[in-house]
Amino acid sequence: DTFQLRYLVNDTFFTKDGSPIFMYTGNEGDIWTFANNTGLLMEMAPRFGAMVVFAEHRYYGQSLPYGEDSFKDPAHIGYLTSAQALADFAVLITQLKGTIPGAENSPVFAFGGSYGGMLAAWIRMKYPHLVAGSLASAASIFQYPGITDCEAYSHVATRTFRRSGVEDCTESIRGSWDVIQDMGKTEAGREQLATIFHLCEPLVMNDMKTLVNWLYNLFMNYALLDYPYPTDFLGPLP
């Protein structure tokens, strides 16, 4: 089976004759989300005369191998793997270099962040004949049991809040978990939690684990998106 993989190309600054191709290896989402929130490639493109490409990950955005049936059953969704995504990007690189005038001898450099950063690292490792180098930001390619402390990301997030300049910030967050759990044991406490967090529906005992996980991910995302400028990447932040 074949399908159409969406990709974005900006050749405004491409000077051809061996100028590089900067390729963003798409994450788990619509490729426009990453194109609109990744300025580094476009900032560097004029300096290097580079073509900029953002490649969408299969099964995300408009790159659905089986259209509306892509998530129908295991037989259809079974091709959603990082190895398959890397193969897609490899085919795209070959196609671009073979069809765009002046790109035949252009070295390709992969860029990515988070899961996309892992893909950027992996594509350099798996297809070194196609990718000359990669910049893999926040790429947790060693974040596996027995290799890296499983709480490493939590430690980084804690340091981010500790450096925020707010007195006792980390201690307040750490102490809040017991308070939330205690409030969740009573109906009155759960009603108060629902009011504090502006929940759409009443909070019941079985919802407490979901609430705590949501708050945990919220703090992690705050640390992740601690940019020195406003962003609406995953939500509006100042």
Side-chain angles (χ1 to χ4, degrees), residues 74-90:
H76 289 81
I77 201 174
Y79 298 100
L80 174 54
T81 68
S82 56
Q84 292 280 357
L86 292 175
D88 292 339
F89 298 153

Side-chain angles (χ1 to χ4, degrees), residues 119-131:
L119 293 171
W122 286 335
I123 197 170
R124 165 60 180 161
M125 297 164 67
K126 188 171 180 61
Y127 299 99
H129 62 295
L130 296 177
V131 178

Side-chain angles (χ1 to χ4, degrees), residues 19-20 38 57 63 70 116 123 139 147 165 172 178 181 204:
S19 297
T38 308
H57 195 296
S63 300
S70 295
I123 197 170
I147 300 178
S172 296
D178 287 339
Q181 294 286 13
V204 298

Side-chain angles (χ1 to χ4, degrees), residues 154-196:
S154 298
H155 298 326
V156 173
T158 299
R159 287 199 300 270
T160 298
F161 284 101
R162 182 174 293 126
R163 295 171 180 172
S164 68
V166 179
E167 186 176 359
D168 298 329
C169 180
T170 54
E171 287 71 19
S172 296
I173 295 173
R174 185 176 289 113
S176 71
W177 301 116
D178 287 339
V179 175
I180 292 171
Q181 294 286 13
D182 288 341
M183 293 176 67
K185 295 176 181 178
T186 67
E187 183 176 354
R190 292 193 296 272
E191 289 179 355
Q192 188 175 357
L193 288 172
T195 300
I196 292 172

Side-chain angles (χ1 to χ4, degrees), residues 13-36:
F13 306 104
F14 187 49
T15 54
K16 304 181 181 182
D17 300 324
S19 297
I21 296 174
F22 293 163
M23 180 175 174
Y24 186 92
T25 48
N27 305 43
E28 64 282 24
D30 189 293
I31 193 58
W32 275 110
T33 300
F34 304 105
N36 290 331

